[in-house]
Amino acid sequence: MPKTNKYPKIAIDGPAGAGKSTVTREVSRRLELKHLDTGAMYRAIALKFYRENAELTDLAALEKILKRTSIEFGDKQTVYLDDEDVTEEIRQAHVNEMVSTVSAVSLVRAHLVELQKKIAGESKGIVMEGRDIGSRVMPDADFKFYLDASIDERTRRRRIEQEEKGLSMTEEEVIAEIKNRDNIDSRRKDSPLTRVDDAILIDTTKMTFEEVVDSIEETVTKGLR
Ligand code: DC
């Protein structure tokens, strides 16, 4: 049955390196919808905890920190943590190393999921990317996609990304990092990374960026007719 909603809510989930971020950015540009990178929110909180030297088992202390922390997005996916531009810092190694652990803390998830639901509710259409968007944040999304790719392809993409940033990691180091993140993200108790039954699976391993974006755009525009 075609959906008549002119302002669709679109969920894009999947593991790191499946191409979610670049794809989501382009889909939101083509469809003129707001883009929300929920991973960036987990990263901003991880950075805050890092700076405050927070003990991740001290839930009372974490709650206090969360209450006085603000995360906002500016133009071009600029991320502000308490009004400071942290767009670059949240992609650095010290944040990479702790973000999966931080995002497994239920208190952190509850806080961010609430915020994300609020943003979704207030938006006139949105493309939201993450790990639990179709399952928990927007279970009623008009369209749900799950992007995946082989571990070799994800490793290759991650290495290119690292090189562009002037960082060098061996192939073994990158594979270990990806596997470690996959493990934590998919084994955590609270809303682990999973593909919900009503999500369309897109295996991006052998697809170009354009092909992935075209396929999502086509599904959405056809579905909205
Ligand atoms: O997509 P990313 O690599 O920037 O995500 C950073 C971390 O946050 C990753 O370990 C998974 C976690 N995450 C999550 O648990 N739920 C989301 N909706 C988005 C990200």
Side-chain angles (χ1 to χ4, degrees), residues 158-176:
R158 179 95 178 113
R159 291 196 76 195
I160 294 174
E161 221 179 82
Q162 297 282 68
E163 272 163 29
E164 280 169 3
K165 284 193 219 158
L167 304 168
S168 88
M169 272 172 95
T170 66
E171 192 170 336
E172 289 70 29
E173 280 168 343
V174 174
I175 293 181

Side-chain angles (χ1 to χ4, degrees), residues 14-77:
K20 283 190 316 285
S21 291
T22 44
V23 165
T24 307
R25 194 175 314 128
E26 179 62 7
V27 167
S28 71
R29 193 191 65 79
R30 287 198 198 171
L31 298 172
E32 297 180 22
L33 295 170
K34 186 183 170 80
H35 169 191
L36 189 72
D37 173 3
T38 60
M41 300 171 87
Y42 286 93
R43 288 172 176 277
I45 295 293
L47 175 59
K48 178 85 177 198
F49 288 171
Y50 172 86
R51 288 180 174 177
E52 303 234 347
N53 235 324
E55 184 58 65
L56 294 184
T57 49
D58 185 349
L59 298 183
L62 298 188
E63 190 156 19
K64 272 192 199 149
I65 298 175
L66 289 175
K67 275 198 181 135
R68 57 178 164 79
T69 302
S70 87
I71 303 169
E72 275 169 39
F73 288 90
D75 287 346
K76 296 186 184 158
Q77 294 298 305

Side-chain angles (χ1 to χ4, degrees), residues 12-17 20-21 37-43 90-91 95-96 98-104 109 112-113 116 128-133 137 158 181-182 184-185 188 190-193:
I12 301 187
D13 289 301
K20 283 190 316 285
S21 291
D37 173 3
T38 60
M41 300 171 87
Y42 286 93
R43 288 172 176 277
I90 58 168
R91 307 281 160 198
V95 176
N96 285 343
M98 68 186 279
V99 68
S100 283
T101 316
V102 168
S103 64
R109 302 205 70 79
L112 288 184
V113 168
Q116 290 152 9
M128 207 186 282
E129 56 157 309
R131 306 289 193 286
D132 59 345
I133 310 306
V137 179
R158 179 95 178 113
R181 275 228 263 163
D182 280 0
I184 303 178
D185 292 348
R188 66 171 174 244
D190 192 353
S191 38
L193 168 70

Side-chain angles (χ1 to χ4, degrees), residues 71-133:
I71 303 169
E72 275 169 39
F73 288 90
D75 287 346
K76 296 186 184 158
Q77 294 298 305
T78 312
V79 184
Y80 294 95
L81 173 65
D82 302 326
D83 298 327
E84 177 193 343
D85 182 349
V86 294
T87 316
E88 299 211 340
E89 191 174 354
I90 58 168
R91 307 281 160 198
Q92 289 174 2
H94 57 297
V95 176
N96 285 343
E97 277 160 25
M98 68 186 279
V99 68
S100 283
T101 316
V102 168
S103 64
V105 178
S106 289
L107 185 76
V108 171
R109 302 205 70 79
H111 181 80
L112 288 184
V113 168
E114 190 187 321
L115 205 62
Q116 290 152 9
K117 279 180 183 269
K118 187 164 172 269
I119 296 172
E122 288 167 355
S123 304
K124 265 192 159 185
I126 192 163
V127 193
M128 207 186 282
E129 56 157 309
R131 306 289 193 286
D132 59 345
I133 310 306

